[in-house]
Structures are given as C-alpha cells and as structure tokens.
C-alpha cells in the first residue's frame, strides 16, 4: 500500500468517526434532556472536555446546535428545520389526525401516534378527549422506553431485526427474556397491551405503508377504565384504526402474518 493510500484511508476513518461522534452528541437530547453542556458531553461519551468543546462549537457553527444563554447547548435551527421537514413529509402524519380523533372519541382515551426514532418510538402526535373525566396526557417528542406497548410492536415488526436484537440486548437476564417472549407474542397476535406507567395502560397496533411498519397507533388511559384483554372493544377499535390507516398508505396489514 502506498503512503498516499494509507493517508487517504486514515482520513476516511477519521471522517467516519467524526460523523459517528456527531450522531452520538445529537442523540443525547430528549424531552428529559433539552440542554447539555460540554462537560456532560465529555462525561457521557467518554471524551476529554477539550474534544467535547470542539465538537460542540463546530456543531454551533454548522447550525446543528445553539449556545444557550446559561452556557449549555440546545438543538439548533438547522436541526429543528430538518426534523420538521422529515416529520412533515411522513404521509402517515397527514392521514392520521382524523382517524386519531375518531379513535379518541370512540374509546374515551388519548390517541397516540409514534414514529421510530434512533433507538425507540418517539411520540409524534396526540389527540386527547377533553370530555373524559380523567385525561392521560402524553407529551409530543417523548422517547418511549423498550417496555412500552408501542416499543414492543416496533420490535416485532421492524424490518431491521438485527438492530432490534442488538437494542434488546442492552437488557440482560430475566428482563431480556421477558421482553423477547412478549415481542414474539406481539408478532403472533398483531397488537400489544401493556402497563406504560403505574396505573396507565397503553394498547397499540402497527401501521404499515408499502415499505413496512411506519408507525404505531395507540390509546392510553387509566387501568381502571382501559382493559388489557385481547377481546376488549377498545383493542378492536385500535386494530381497526391501524388497518384503515395501513390501507390508505398502500400497505398490507401484518405482511408476514394473517391477513
């Protein structure tokens, strides 16, 4: 190998590492972490503070981050523009609202549409029913953990099952085995009901376009009003809504399962 070739290869590797590092920094943001400091970036990614600071200032210059008045960093204008563009061009986001409004009205629960993010579902739209006595609010932008109904549906039907296996492998022991068994069950029945937080139940089903699963549709409500039973009318309403959305998107509901 020539010297110039070795230098070029090292340059390519450095570029790839830089892109990977930028992705890691941006993935630190979520609803619970709207702002980070260079020190936090260094601590969470195992970098020295000088390197973390250089990355953050470069991302500010590129418009991906903005410097907050208190010294930290928040998502920048370019990042917000790209995020809005990406979500706005998901057809399911345009078709879902009227279905979600009807679902919320019919089930007396909050309807939630989630899209797949970097490592799990992200709540992208919520329709609440103000006429109910108890309204369960879900914040748009929330990143849902792996034990939620929406996550299990995505894990069961995502086209990249190797990545899903790696994601589940972040758990260990009984928690991992329990999640794998539940995901297998979801793949068999085509829906999932789970306790999302103490006292709150979520019932979810997959939505498919022509390429595969593109979203989950769910309802959430108090466990004393929303059943987790497989024959509950609320579950049938969720599955029916998912089927209708799938049909409008040109997909096939549960393409590798029963019709």
């Amino acid at each position: 190998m020539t010297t110039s070739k070795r230098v070029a290869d090292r340059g390519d590797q450095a570029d790839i590492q830089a892109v990977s590092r930028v992705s890691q920094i941006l993935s630190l943001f979520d609803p619970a972490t709207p702002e980070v400091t260079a020190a936090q970036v260094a601590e969470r990614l195992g970098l020295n503070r000088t390197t973390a600071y250089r990355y953050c200032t470069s991302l500010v210059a590129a418009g991906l981050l903005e410097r907050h008045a208190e010294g930290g960093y928040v998502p920048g204008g370019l990042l917000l523009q790209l995020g809005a563009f990406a979500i706005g061009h998901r057809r399911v986001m345009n078709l879902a609202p009227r279905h979600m409004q009807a679902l919320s009205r019919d089930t007396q629960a909050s309807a939630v549409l989630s899209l797949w993010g970097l490592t799990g579902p992200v709540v992208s739209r919520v329709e609440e029913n103000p006429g109910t006595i108890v309204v369960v609010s879900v914040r748009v932008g929330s990143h849902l953990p792996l034990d939620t109904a929406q996550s299990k549906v995505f894990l069961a039907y995502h086209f990249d099952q190797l990545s899903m296996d790696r994601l589940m492998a972040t758990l260990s022991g009984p928690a991992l085995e329990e999640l794998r068994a539940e995901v297998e069950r979801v793949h068999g029945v085509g829906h999932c009901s789970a306790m999302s937080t103490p006292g709150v139940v979520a019932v979810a089903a997959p939505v498919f376009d022509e390429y595969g699963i593109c979203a989950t549709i769910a309802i959430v409500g108090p466990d004393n009003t929303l059943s987790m039973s497989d024959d509950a009318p609320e579950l049938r309403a969720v599955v029916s809504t998912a089927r209708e959305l799938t049909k409008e998107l040109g997909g096939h509901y549960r393409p590798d399962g029963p019709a």
Side-chain angles (χ1 to χ4, degrees):
M1 181 181 294
T2 64
T3 301
S4 59
K5 175 63 173 174
R6 286 195 295 269
V7 171
D9 287 346
R10 286 198 294 270
D12 290 344
Q13 292 171 1
D15 289 343
I16 293 171
Q17 183 181 35
V19 171
S20 176
R21 193 73 74 196
V22 168
S23 174
Q24 291 173 333
I25 293 172
L26 297 180
S27 69
L28 295 176
F29 293 99
D30 59 32
T33 312
E35 178 181 347
V36 297
T37 64
Q40 289 172 324
V41 170
E43 179 183 358
R44 296 181 187 182
L45 300 185
L47 303 173
N48 64 58
R49 291 198 179 190
T50 300
T51 300
Y53 178 77
R54 286 205 312 269
Y55 269 106
C56 290
T57 53
S58 295
L59 292 175
V60 169
L64 293 172
L65 294 182
E66 290 180 4
R67 190 69 183 265
H68 196 270
E70 297 180 359
Y73 298 90
V74 297
L78 177 58
L79 196 61
L80 298 176
Q81 176 181 321
L82 291 174
F85 177 83
I87 291 178
H89 280 68
R90 299 287 183 95
R91 284 191 299 147
V92 68
M93 291 291 292
N94 297 325
L95 296 175
R98 64 183 179 86
H99 293 283
M100 296 175 65
Q101 290 162 9
L103 179 63
S104 177
R105 181 182 63 250
D106 293 344
T107 61
Q108 297 292 294
S110 298
V112 179
L113 184 79
S114 301
L115 305 181
W116 185 258
L118 186 62
T119 57
V122 177
V123 175
S124 302
R125 187 176 181 89
V126 178
E127 293 287 346
E128 297 176 350
N129 189 330
T132 58
I133 297 176
V134 178
V135 176
V136 176
S137 296
V138 183
R139 185 167 53 180
V140 171
S142 298
H143 186 283
L144 302 177
L146 291 181
D147 60 354
T148 58
Q150 294 96 317
S151 289
K152 292 171 184 176
V153 170
F154 268 113
L155 290 170
Y157 290 104
H158 198 283
F159 74 94
D160 188 354
Q161 282 298 303
L162 181 59
S163 293
M164 298 302 101
D165 288 340
R166 290 172 178 164
L167 191 57
M168 287 191 287
T170 57
L171 303 177
S172 61
L176 174 58
E177 295 308 314
E178 181 179 345
L179 179 59
R180 282 178 171 164
E182 184 63 19
V183 168
E184 184 176 352
R185 178 183 182 279
V186 171
H187 193 274
V189 300
H191 53 76
C192 182
S193 300
M195 191 81 71
S196 55
T197 58
V200 176
V201 168
V203 180
V207 177
F208 299 90
D209 61 16
E210 66 268 39
Y211 304 108
I213 187 171
C214 64
T216 61
I217 190 83
I219 54 173
V220 296
D223 61 355
N224 61 349
T225 62
L226 188 55
S227 173
M228 294 175 61
S229 170
D230 283 346
D231 60 358
E234 294 87 356
L235 172 59
R236 291 197 294 271
V238 171
V239 172
S240 177
T241 300
R243 286 181 178 274
E244 291 172 7
L245 262 175
T246 293
K247 184 177 180 180
E248 287 193 37
L249 289 164
H252 174 62
Y253 193 72
R254 298 177 63 197
D256 55 352

